[in-house]
Amino acid sequence: VTRQMLSNGEPGLYNSSLAGRFELGDVRCSNPCGEIALNEDPETAAGESCNIGSVNLSGLGGNFDRAVELFGLMARFLYRATFTPIAHEGQRALEAANRRIGVGFMGLQEWCVSQGFKLSDLPLHDDALQQLVSFRAMCRQSADRLADALGTPRPVKVTALAPTGTIAQMPGAQPTFEPILARYFIRRVRYQANDPKLIGLAAQGYRIVDDIYSANTKVVEFPAKHALLDRVVDVSLVEQADEVPFESFLELQAAVTEAFCGGRDGNAVSATANLPALSVDDEVVEHFVSIVRSMMPRLKGLTAFPATSRPLSPIEAVSKETFEQLRDALFDAQLASLAGDSNDGSCATGACPVK
């Protein structure tokens, strides 16, 4: 499994023994991303819904009291969602018994930086980990109080960390607890070759080339810096993905799992560790096998993806110096929107389409 993971990112690992603790039934599967373990009725093949939502920690500036309030509100919101009418009798019975919810968060990197430390150093900061424990406790308390007031079962689990890749883009937050992909980067956006916007973009000085993957398509290259750099005081604390080693990422994931998705309250954590491009020989495989073996008992799931380089990729990390050269070459850099999110290729300059 590790050899294949190093080669192409597939498959991942799912620790059903740990994920299945404190469940009402035998849980052997999850939703596609792995953050929610879902019960299934073997007779009717009915399964639970994936009922998740996330609190945005970005922009709170480390305001603990406000964050606790938001976690409580999200837990109530999701518990209310368990009353959505369900036609299938078997699924309706599972939902009524479990009332499973999954409160999560996004923007943890900004939350850590606002408190004066790097994201990968979170496992070393007991006070910050205790904050995650408090968030989890509020989710449990808030959901249980509502359940008791309504006379319905308390939720079997209350927290989960979903990837939040799409919804995080809308407020400009960083997905879950993952580091930004790059501080400075080129974002490539594809346009139809006859799109009238291309004339204006060319006049502004943006590089435009023919797409090598699709006919009648042009690729526009936007130099950008990650928007997070404009929101924090100390940019030296902002790590990008290739600066967090595989083992450090798994330590971070384990710490977050234990603090926020542990005990009787937590479903699981969905996260993907970034791997460097490697020559996958026996020595390299054994090194990573040892890391996986040591960390897997503390994780409910583990996925990783190796670095790849393809021509005209949606995102290409560059140095600060390269970014500044590309920016200064534009006709009017002041008018160009040069801040954005480095983690998804669907947004040109931080303004993302709602799909």
Side-chain angles (χ1 to χ4, degrees):
V1 168
T2 301
R3 184 183 295 275
Q4 287 300 114
M5 189 184 296
L6 292 170
S7 300
N8 58 28
E10 295 288 353
L13 291 166
Y14 181 65
N15 185 346
S16 59
S17 297
L18 185 57
R21 294 187 65 198
F22 305 111
E23 289 286 342
L24 299 181
D26 183 13
V27 174
R28 294 285 175 176
C29 65
S30 71
N31 71 330
C33 295
E35 75 271 14
I36 291 278
L38 302 175
N39 282 142
E40 182 182 69
D41 184 339
E43 295 184 1
T44 65
E48 290 181 86
S49 301
C50 186
N51 184 13
I52 57 179
S54 299
V55 171
N56 182 11
L57 295 175
S58 295
L60 290 178
N63 187 331
F64 174 73
D65 292 338
R66 178 59 174 159
V68 169
E69 179 186 9
L70 294 176
F71 279 101
L73 291 171
M74 180 60 77
R76 290 177 61 88
F77 172 77
L78 293 180
Y79 191 83
R80 291 282 187 183
T82 68
F83 291 90
T84 300
I86 299 172
H88 194 287
E89 181 179 355
Q91 183 181 1
R92 186 168 64 248
L94 279 176
E95 297 277 7
N98 285 350
R99 299 288 173 183
R100 186 188 305 276
I101 65 174
V103 182
F105 56 74
M106 50 185 146
L108 185 64
Q109 183 171 28
E110 187 170 344
W111 178 263
C112 292
V113 172
S114 69
Q115 298 184 64
F117 59 88
K118 294 180 178 181
L119 174 65
S120 64
D121 288 339
L122 175 63
L124 306 176
H125 290 263
D126 292 337
D127 290 345
L129 290 174
Q130 189 57 46
Q131 291 175 354
L132 297 185
V133 174
S134 298
F135 298 159
R136 184 184 93 198
M138 174 51 71
C139 294
R140 169 55 72 186
Q141 181 184 77
S142 182
D144 285 356
R145 283 181 176 177
L146 180 55
D148 293 347
L150 296 173
T152 48
R154 293 179 171 184
V156 60
K157 297 282 179 69
V158 296
T159 59
L161 279 182
T164 68
T166 301
I167 63 172
Q169 291 172 38
M170 299 181 72
Q174 187 59 17
T176 58
F177 63 87
E178 300 202 17
I180 64 174
L181 182 63
R183 287 184 290 272
Y184 300 93
F185 54 96
I186 297 172
R187 182 184 296 284
R188 295 185 175 92
V189 181
R190 284 160 171 81
Y191 292 80
Q192 287 291 325
N194 60 355
D195 193 318
K197 297 186 183 72
L198 292 172
I199 298 174
L201 291 170
Q204 284 185 300
Y206 290 106
R207 183 171 180 260
I208 302 175
V209 299
D210 292 329
D211 192 13
I212 61 176
Y213 303 105
S214 302
N216 301 314
T217 303
K218 297 288 186 179
V219 179
V220 182
E221 297 185 345
F222 295 90
K225 68 175 180 178
H226 201 285
L228 179 59
L229 301 182
D230 290 331
R231 300 200 300 264
V232 300
V233 175
D234 189 352
V235 297
S236 69
L237 297 177
V238 179
E239 300 165 293
Q240 60 185 41
D242 61 2
E243 295 170 348
V244 181
F246 180 63
E247 51 267 48
S248 297
F249 185 90
L250 296 187
E251 284 285 356
L252 174 63
Q253 182 179 345
V256 171
T257 297
E258 291 158 0
F260 188 73
C261 286
R264 293 181 176 273
D265 303 321
N267 288 283
V269 172
S270 176
T272 299
N274 289 283
L275 293 167
L278 297 167
S279 174
V280 186
D281 55 33
D282 290 346
E283 183 177 354
V284 168
V285 171
E286 285 305 313
H287 170 70
F288 280 91
V289 164
S290 66
I291 297 173
V292 171
R293 286 188 187 279
S294 66
M295 294 303 303
M296 202 59 219
R298 298 173 59 195
L299 302 173
K300 297 179 181 181
L302 188 160
T303 56
F305 195 80
T308 58
S309 178
R310 296 178 181 175
L312 298 183
S313 59
I315 298 291
E316 179 185 346
V318 297
S319 66
K320 181 180 181 181
E321 293 72 24
T322 298
F323 162 76
E324 291 175 343
Q325 292 172 3
L326 294 171
R327 177 200 62 192
D328 294 343
L330 296 177
F331 178 71
D332 190 342
Q334 297 302 316
L335 294 178
S337 177
L338 298 172
D341 165 31
S342 68
N343 285 68
D344 186 89
S346 65
C347 305
T349 54
C352 305
V354 178
K355 299 180 179 178

